[in-house]
Amino acid sequence: MKFKKVALIGAVFLAGIGLSACSNSNNDTQGGTKVTKSSHSTKPKIKYYEVGDTVKVGKVEYTLKSVTTTSYRNEFADEKPKNVIKVIYHVKNDSKKDLPIGTDLDAYGPDNSKLKDYPVDDSTLDAIAPGKEADVTTGFGTKKLGNFELQFAPLVSTEKAAKFKVVVK
């Protein structure tokens, strides 16, 4: 009986320590991590790549070959964008698994909004085997032309995307 009492007191004591460690009287918190405000805050500089550059994201290499406008319009597409950009890039799969391609690119338009995929005449939606390479073609609809940001990363990846800046007129 005495052992149960000592164990109960120990458990209550440990729970109390755990709760006090979790509590924070400062209201400047986010997600359990204290946010400190500094007058010297600087944003980390983002490295952007250009057409022709090759970048490795995890075990996958991406080379942006070209970004152009196209007059092609898919008669079956739900969207009817004013402009369509066509992106051609090369992928090399150095992983040990098949790699889905054609779904590994996100595009952001001149107004920083994410662009929707648009099916161009030779769109690629496939997979490549380990150790293999392929050229990929995909399209995006956009209202305006100008500065675009392209972000490459494998479909299921925790790696940070490789970011490219391009100007399309």
Side-chain angles (χ1 to χ4, degrees):
M1 185 78 164
K2 190 174 183 178
F3 175 74
K4 287 183 181 179
K5 195 175 196 180
V6 170
L8 179 62
I9 291 171
V12 169
F13 177 73
L14 289 174
I17 289 175
L19 287 174
S20 68
C22 291
S23 71
N24 188 344
S25 61
N26 187 347
N27 289 334
D28 247 355
T29 60
Q30 276 186 335
T33 305
K34 186 174 179 181
V35 177
T36 57
K37 295 179 181 172
S38 170
S39 61
H40 300 276
S41 93
T42 58
K43 290 183 180 179
K45 189 169 180 157
I46 298 172
K47 169 105 173 132
Y48 290 103
Y49 300 95
E50 301 174 346
V51 173
D53 289 344
T54 298
V55 182
K56 193 159 190 157
V57 178
K59 297 191 180 269
V60 180
E61 282 184 15
Y62 293 100
T63 303
L64 181 58
K65 295 176 94 176
S66 67
V67 182
T68 57
T69 59
T70 179
S71 59
Y72 175 81
R73 295 298 182 268
N74 187 305
E75 65 182 284
F76 302 107
D78 293 335
E79 302 286 324
K80 305 292 183 207
K82 181 177 180 182
N83 301 288
V84 176
I85 61 169
K86 182 177 180 177
V87 181
I88 300 174
Y89 58 100
H90 187 80
V91 179
K92 182 177 179 188
N93 182 7
D94 289 330
S95 75
K96 296 183 189 288
K97 296 181 180 180
D98 282 0
L99 177 72
I101 54 174
T103 57
D104 47 1
L105 171 61
D106 289 324
Y108 296 87
D111 60 356
N112 289 323
S113 62
K114 186 173 180 178
L115 302 178
K116 292 183 179 181
D117 293 343
Y118 187 85
V120 291
D121 55 347
D122 50 354
S123 290
T124 308
L125 194 56
D126 206 349
I128 54 174
K132 303 301 180 191
E133 304 178 36
D135 282 339
V136 181
T137 302
T138 191
F140 296 95
T142 179
K143 292 177 185 173
K144 297 185 213 173
L145 297 177
N147 295 316
F148 291 86
E149 181 177 316
L150 306 176
Q151 297 184 1
F152 291 92
L155 181 62
V156 181
S157 173
T158 58
E159 302 287 334
K160 289 188 177 185
K163 298 178 179 181
F164 287 72
K165 284 273 189 178
V166 296
V167 178
V168 182
K169 294 182 180 186

